[in-house]
Amino acid sequence: MSSNNNEWRSAAVSTGTTIIAVRYDGGVVIGSDSRASMGGEYVSSRVINKVVQVHDKIFCCMSGSLADAQAVTNAVIHKLNFHSMQMGEPPLVQSAASIMREFCYNHRDELSAGFIVAGWDRKKGAQVFDVSMGGMVVEQEFTIGGSGSTYIYGYVDAKFKPGMTRQQCVTFTTNAITLAMDRDNVSGGVVHLAVVTESGAERQLIPGNKLPVFQRI
Amino acid sequence: MATAMAMNRIQHLTGSNNLVPDWMSKEVSTGTTIMAVEFDGGVVIGADSRTTTGAYIANRVTDKLTPIHDHIYCCRSGSAADTQAIADVVTYQLGFHSIELDEPPLVQTAANLFKEMCYRYREELMAGIIVAGWDKRRGGQVYTVPVGGMLVRQPVSVGGSGSTYIYGYVDSNYKSGMNKEECLRFTAGALSLAMERDGSSGGVVRLASISEEGVERRVILGNELPKISRA
């Protein structure tokens, strides 16, 4: 369909992506797809994990320019670690979101990356924060992000109910990412999940052949 | 008004837009959500009712479901002027064709007429159209003619700016073999979700069901919309 097959060679690597996080009573479930694309034409990696652990019980999901997202995430891991050592206790999820926001806002003209920060802390339990591209922070019960998220707004609006169990949240997350991957050409691959509770964090990978199958129209 | 027009010309030349509101210079667009579903015996079509010129809602009760023939309708999205003009031309062409044939036209014929026009003039037009109806040969059919002039038949089709938000919902909730009532509920639900997320879609939900018996139209007002979202 494109006349020049080499445009992707000069395009930046982007996580055209689908990311989602949802909290339930006792923890959070975080998920993402696994595709990194260049110029929307070439898949530079089909197995990257966009769910990054920034501390024992705090994770963040990356979207947008992969270089920017990785740089910010690494800076946040460093700063959060230092902050946690200074305070002498595990950091709050809000602190992680705050540090993330500092970077995103102060460098908003240079950066092109959006994040979801989610985890568990002793003060407020499970929390999900959406740190969008310009540096706005919003705490929500669940949030979706990335290019694939536009296709699932209707689905998550209809399907989410407060008071879901852990297993229902895992199903909700997996279904949402699968539906987005089916429609967004820059999201795809496998589904990476992480579940964070008081007792710790647990990662899960759902390969392509184990994803739910929806009626093909 | 004259001052505004003069300012408009200056703006157009200089490219700035602080002096005059954007809706005085923006084209009328049916930034919209449209949808059509086939069932055994007919089709259900639906649309929102908002027409915008930039940030101004020029018409909040638009009817985007346009009759082309007795049992064939089209759902319009994109430029309001373009789609109205195309629909008028196709209505004329199809009416003439039907008289020549001395029988009701096929939905596929109507869809092909839309496609011919949308493809031939694809550089000048901005029109996304869903053609749906009933005929004796193939029953209920939905054909989509998106921007560019492609033509494809689908059991379910969504279109317009609001459609991107409901692909996941439609993919997961559609089951083949639904009856007319289920299709109406499915369509109303999907349109409500899209209207809630898309700034260019809103107002009321207009529905129509087309079958051998004819066309049955209904309107769902804002306060009667299905409350699917928990917000």
Side-chain angles (χ1 to χ4, degrees), chain B residues 127-153:
Chain B
I129 295 177
I130 300 179
V131 185
W134 180 92
D135 64 45
K136 208 159 71 160
R137 189 183 295 186
R138 295 200 182 99
Q141 299 144 76
V142 169
Y143 294 88
T144 181
V145 183
V147 169
M150 167 183 95
L151 170 64
V152 72
R153 181 182 171 186

Side-chain angles (χ1 to χ4, degrees), chain A residues 81-142:
Chain A
N81 198 20
F82 194 72
H83 169 75
S84 168
M85 281 196 274
Q86 276 189 318
M87 304 299 282
E89 61 178 33
L92 300 177
V93 186
Q94 184 164 22
S95 306
S98 224
I99 295 172
M100 183 73 82
R101 188 246 295 131
E102 278 294 295
F103 279 107
C104 289
Y105 181 73
N106 290 339
H107 302 283
R108 66 192 178 281
D109 293 333
E110 296 121 61
L111 292 173
S112 167
F115 302 89
I116 297 178
V117 178
W120 187 95
D121 64 46
R122 225 176 32 185
K123 185 171 164 193
K124 286 201 184 137
Q127 296 145 81
V128 170
F129 290 88
D130 184 17
V131 184
S132 48
M133 217 168 271
M136 175 179 86
V137 180
V138 180
E139 207 229 317
Q140 296 177 302
E141 286 189 80
F142 77 92

